Amino acid sequence: GRYLSKYTWANADIVALGAALTGDITIATVPARTVIYRVWMAITGQAAGVATLTGSIGKTAAAYSDYFLTKDLMAVVNTLYGQVVGDYAAAMALYCGDMPSFTAATAIKLHVISTGANLSAVTGSSGVIILETTVLP
């Protein structure tokens, strides 16, 4: 069957990325033969303290944008990404799913980018990311 898993980030997770304009937060490590069908991201706390704060989700360094293209993490509370095809990158655009690896576990990351100030200056950011997956036998 298909399973849903949830990751939440708090502002402290972003601040912990430190005096840098970019950073990565591991949101899940999926086992070998996992197919990722859908990704949703909801903003539960509106980020502030920087000029812009964006995030993408994926499996491949350095941009980690295989699943979600860059999304505004300073959007208003209850903004939900993952409802339209345009939210997804090529690996997910048709909802066919993506298998990161048949033989190895794979880290899925939220790649965060700030302008105007370092990530350590971000305030108020929080959110939820949900993955819909299945593991093949």
Side-chain angles (χ1 to χ4, degrees), residues 7-8 17 24-30 64 106-111:
Y7 173 82
T8 58
L17 297 172
D24 303 313
I25 299 170
T26 299
I27 60 167
T29 299
V30 297
Y64 294 105
T106 304
I108 308 301
K109 301 198 180 225
L110 171 63
H111 179 67

Side-chain angles (χ1 to χ4, degrees), residues 11 14-21 49-50 114 117-123:
N11 196 72
I14 305 251
V15 169
L17 297 172
L21 296 175
V50 294
S114 141
N118 288 326
L119 293 169
S120 57
V122 172
T123 61

Side-chain angles (χ1 to χ4, degrees), residues 67-103:
Y67 299 148
F68 260 22
L69 302 172
T70 302
K71 299 298 170 201
D72 183 5
L73 300 184
M74 297 178 82
V76 298
V77 171
N78 296 326
T79 296
L80 178 63
Y81 299 113
Q83 295 292 92
V84 297
V85 171
D87 285 341
Y88 290 93
M92 301 295 289
L94 298 176
Y95 303 120
C96 295
D98 178 69
M99 183 188 309
S101 175
F102 191 75
T103 59

